[in-house]
Amino acid sequence: MPLSPPSRLSLRRIFLAVSFAGVLLMPIHSATAADAATVHPELWPRGHSPLPPDPALEARVSALLAKMSVEDKVGQMIQADIKSVTPDDVRHYRLGSILAGGNSKPNGQRTATAVQWQQLSDAFYRASMDISGGRLAIPVLFGIDAVHGHNNLVGSTLFPQNVGLGATRDPQLIHAIGEVTARELRASGINWTFAPTLTVPQDGRWGRAYEGYSQNPALVAQYAGAVVAGLEGKLGTPQYLDADHVIATAKHFVGDGGTRDGKDQGDAEISEAMLRDVHAAGYPPAIGAGVQVVMVSFSSWNGVKMAGNKALITDVLKDRLGFGGIVLGDWNAHGQVPGCTNEDCPVAYNAGLDMLEAPDSWKGLYKNTLAEVKSGVIPMSRVDDAVSRILRVKLRLGMFEAGLPSANPLVVRSTKVIGSPAHRALARRAVRESLVLLKNNGVLPIDPRRHVLVAGDGADNISKQNGGWTLTWQGTGLTNADFPGATSIWAGIRAQVKAAGGSTELSIDGSYKNKPDVAIVVFGEDPYAEFQGDLPNLAYRPGNDHDLELLRRLRGQGVPVVAVFLSGRPLWMNREINASDAFVAAWLPGSEGEGIADVLLRTGDGRIAHDFHGKLAYAWPRTAVQIPVAAAARGEQPQFPYGFGLTYADHGDTGPLSEDAGIELSSARAGVYFSHGKPAQGFALRLTGADGTTANVTATPAATADGSLRISSLDYKAQEDARSLGWFGKGTARAALVASAPLDVERETNGDVMLVTTLRVDAVSPQGASIGVTCGSGCSGEVPIGKQLAVLPRGQWLRVGVPLKCFRDAGADMGKLDQPFEWISSPGERIAVTDVSLGTVADQTLACPAAVGRP
């Protein structure tokens, strides 16, 4: 479809930005940081609100504003999370909105149904409309991250993540997905989504790259208006913001996809031209489609935090681009602005944010903001502008007349709306269109009348095929039972092969009873979200060749192999591509796994029902250290260029490809301190005896000088891939991993990341044990684990996790760890350890008991 006309000038700028990426992508080296962060609003495209003047609506806004107390106004400017706010709080503080973060569900549950969401929404609405004691009735907005369907709702339709939708090149599909998402949100009683994400990721190492449609700003601009119109309804028609649609949020303004090294919440060290023409490309068309909310990014532009950047928020977004809706902060992002805390940030309001997302800090923020408004630190004119914008959005949505959320007709028939056959059919179509074929030596399409082996840990794993932002923030800790109505990739293949008269066999490890005619191996990244997905390079599971070995083993047995790769980004996969007869980039396809079978398999009578359609929306790296967009600026070629994608009509025998990763793969993992029984690159294993003497372990067996701690090698899965530690004599001894340079894990600590130790407990000390970290002289945090360790099974390998928050609560500065792991114990303790790393999944998560800091 040709580009709809958001702006010929805007598209010309996009073309120029892409054409001259070699210049624009270079880091800023200007005279001063202030020069690099100077904004020139007059160089940005001039826009205006697409909504026609509405004197009646403005009269209502003015009338409400005149009746509101300062307390009422401040309450409207704060958004609290349902984990930390109650309906009574909304009634008392007159809060303008609430949100449900990725791990926030009704009644503190892990997952939630439509009825539970409806009941919660009704409770908050009733509280906001309570007029007892002379209160004003102003309905509360309820926002949620519905980013690939209503992904916080059990039984909903889950679409491919945006990285896959970019490969479809289908704006009409994107519009339809927006419509379905809106209907399922409304059917559960929710009226606002924090979508679409209009980021333009330039570095696949970023953990949020899969939330972006493409590296190409022109494609993002093309999709922006389509998805907003789907979510909110078409501007200028009766459907705009009617009962079938929701408030949309364009995010994250601006530059989140351009940070240095792809670091989440990092700094976009780029020119203003690059910021405008590439990273802001989606905002003019989104504003033109009537988007009602823009969320400001966590990230910085040339050293200035976006949440405090008045020039970009007020002078550009509001005044130059003409955005007239609500400007919203991200999750406590205001607390990162210099001089601010999560509970106090007048700078953000004065910069132009109308509402701050203060999930767990809202009460302190309310108190401080109220005082600052009364004292004039935040001018009343700024408050009135913010509250007016919030009221306009609520009035446009018809909230004052709509009544209880559960009164919406879609709620009444929610069981026929949520996860309906028509909605799932659309998601299945999206899966088909998103698949990108990178290699095919003739094995595809598959005759379904044959014997088909389906292997790999992604084959029958609906959580894995969805990725992050799925029922939980990280999308982890789930089983297929959490997805009623969904179809795994295996189930879709099995159904079609059976219908055609063939046979199937599921075997995660690739073993089989009867030799198959073909094997489909489904594997890929485990779910992650935000910074927990940040990578140091684009290597796939460095140090873990399990999937590669599976592909090679099957092929070595004479079985043709089709690799189906699940991922949120292109990764260096040359070895796996070489080991396969066909290689399919399936991205994160969502709940309708049968869409993959639709394309891989012929029909029962031998026809091709669905050919490959997808084209890469991101270039594919040639090595594990090549960042394709930046490499293009240097004249280097990627392995597969932007726009690549084979069909069945193409000659697709790709390869052999170079297997030079450009990096030592054994040292390429992120957040790994100890692997296969050895310290990771940049770390040393140090023993400290009860007498205080220390020694680094360079070979095993070894011991402290006083013999209080001894270490030896043992076999776990391979020869000497674990270490056994034993405590003897008297006193306390320690085994620690020492970093060659201080580590900053503050972001990970603010999330749900744990220090995960893969270990075997053989005996515990009667005096107990602790896990600790140190952060320089006089700085540490220890977490006592003796009692919890004592109940773990003996002689069994387990992944044991300690939340990083525990160490912070114990007094550690998580921004400068010099020893990110320390096991402290006394005589009688015997454990074996093979791996120490950061992660979100563990067999046993230890609670944070009373923790202690060490002087």
Side-chain angles (χ1 to χ4, degrees), residues 194-261:
F194 302 138
T197 303
L198 300 181
T199 184
V200 188
Q202 302 294 287
D203 191 328
R205 292 175 293 180
W206 185 33
R208 304 192 76 160
Y210 67 82
E211 297 184 51
Y213 294 113
S214 177
Q215 71 182 44
N216 183 355
L219 181 58
V220 175
Q222 188 181 26
Y223 275 16
V227 65
V228 168
L231 289 165
E232 293 191 343
K234 186 177 180 181
L235 190 65
T237 71
Q239 287 74 44
Y240 181 65
L241 296 179
D242 68 2
D244 282 5
H245 294 89
V246 297
I247 295 296
T249 306
K251 69 182 188 183
H252 306 87
F253 188 82
V254 61
D256 54 344
T259 61
R260 185 181 182 89
D261 298 329

Side-chain angles (χ1 to χ4, degrees), residues 492-515:
I493 294 169
R494 177 182 58 185
Q496 292 193 21
V497 170
K498 181 179 180 181
S503 58
T504 55
E505 191 173 343
L506 174 66
S507 172
I508 303 305
D509 65 4
S511 60
Y512 48 81
K513 297 177 181 177
N514 299 306
K515 186 174 181 178

Side-chain angles (χ1 to χ4, degrees), residues 267-521:
D267 191 6
E269 299 174 1
I270 57 176
S271 70
E272 185 179 4
M274 188 67 168
L275 187 72
R276 176 195 66 209
D277 298 336
V278 173
H279 296 283
Y283 290 91
I287 293 169
V291 72
Q292 288 298 287
V293 181
V294 170
M295 181 183 288
V296 170
S297 178
F298 267 108
S299 60
S300 304
W301 177 58
N302 291 326
V304 180
K305 276 291 178 183
M306 276 303 308
N309 197 321
K310 184 177 182 180
L312 285 171
I313 296 170
T314 296
D315 300 346
V316 170
L317 177 60
K318 290 183 171 181
D319 296 344
R320 186 69 180 180
L321 299 183
F323 177 64
I326 301 169
V327 178
L328 173 70
D330 207 339
W331 183 281
N332 277 334
H334 55 275
Q336 296 184 4
V337 176
C340 291
T341 67
N342 291 350
E343 296 185 338
D344 188 10
C345 194
V347 175
Y349 284 121
N350 287 335
L353 271 74
D354 304 309
M355 183 184 291
L356 296 188
E357 198 172 282
D360 54 357
S361 57
W362 65 268
K363 193 171 289 187
L365 182 65
Y366 173 89
K367 176 184 176 182
N368 289 318
T369 302
L370 181 61
E372 287 152 356
V373 172
K374 289 181 176 180
S375 70
V377 172
I378 303 173
M380 186 57 70
S381 59
R382 174 76 272 273
V383 173
D384 286 347
D385 172 58
V387 176
S388 295
R389 288 169 175 265
I390 295 165
L391 294 176
R392 286 188 194 102
V393 170
K394 293 182 177 185
L395 287 165
R396 288 170 186 151
L397 191 60
M399 293 184 69
F400 286 82
E401 297 77 34
L404 284 168
S406 62
N408 186 298
L410 290 175
V411 172
V412 176
R413 58 180 193 277
S414 61
T415 56
K416 296 183 179 179
V417 173
I418 296 167
S420 71
H423 291 180
R424 293 192 182 278
L426 180 70
R428 185 167 162 180
R429 171 190 156 195
V431 175
R432 291 196 295 265
E433 292 191 23
S434 70
L435 303 178
V436 178
L437 181 62
L438 298 182
K439 175 181 179 178
N440 183 22
N441 69 2
V443 67
L444 291 175
I446 295 169
D447 183 346
R449 296 168 296 182
R450 302 295 184 89
H451 181 53
V452 180
L453 172 69
V454 183
D457 66 357
D460 193 30
N461 189 330
I462 298 174
S463 172
K464 184 160 183 156
Q465 73 190 43
N466 274 279
W469 293 111
T470 303
L471 297 186
T472 65
W473 176 36
Q474 294 295 315
T476 55
L478 304 165
T479 70
N480 286 0
D482 292 308
F483 298 92
T487 305
S488 72
I489 295 168
W490 148 251
I493 294 169
R494 177 182 58 185
Q496 292 193 21
V497 170
K498 181 179 180 181
S503 58
T504 55
E505 191 173 343
L506 174 66
S507 172
I508 303 305
D509 65 4
S511 60
Y512 48 81
K513 297 177 181 177
N514 299 306
K515 186 174 181 178
D517 296 304
V518 63
I520 301 172
V521 181

Side-chain angles (χ1 to χ4, degrees), residues 32 42 56 183 225 286 383 449 456 499 545 549 563 669 678 684 701 775:
T32 66
E42 70 277 8
R183 288 173 60 81
V383 173
R449 296 168 296 182
D545 291 338
E549 292 166 357
R669 287 173 65 195
K678 297 178 181 179
C775 36

Side-chain angles (χ1 to χ4, degrees), residues 437-444 517-519 551 554-556 558-563 576-584 646 652-654:
L437 181 62
L438 298 182
K439 175 181 179 178
N440 183 22
N441 69 2
V443 67
L444 291 175
D517 296 304
V518 63
L551 296 170
L554 286 168
R555 209 176 186 201
V559 179
V561 174
V562 176
E576 289 80 3
I577 292 172
N578 286 343
S580 308
D581 295 288
F583 193 95
V584 178
L646 301 170
D653 190 8
T654 303

Side-chain angles (χ1 to χ4, degrees), residues 1-6 8 11 169-172 218-219 221-223 226:
M1 177 180 175
L3 290 174
S4 55
R8 291 181 184 272
L11 294 179
R169 305 298 203 278
D170 191 341
Q172 293 97 336
L219 181 58
Q222 188 181 26
Y223 275 16

Side-chain angles (χ1 to χ4, degrees), residues 37 199 546 666 741 830:
T199 184
H546 174 79
S666 63
R830 294 198 317 278

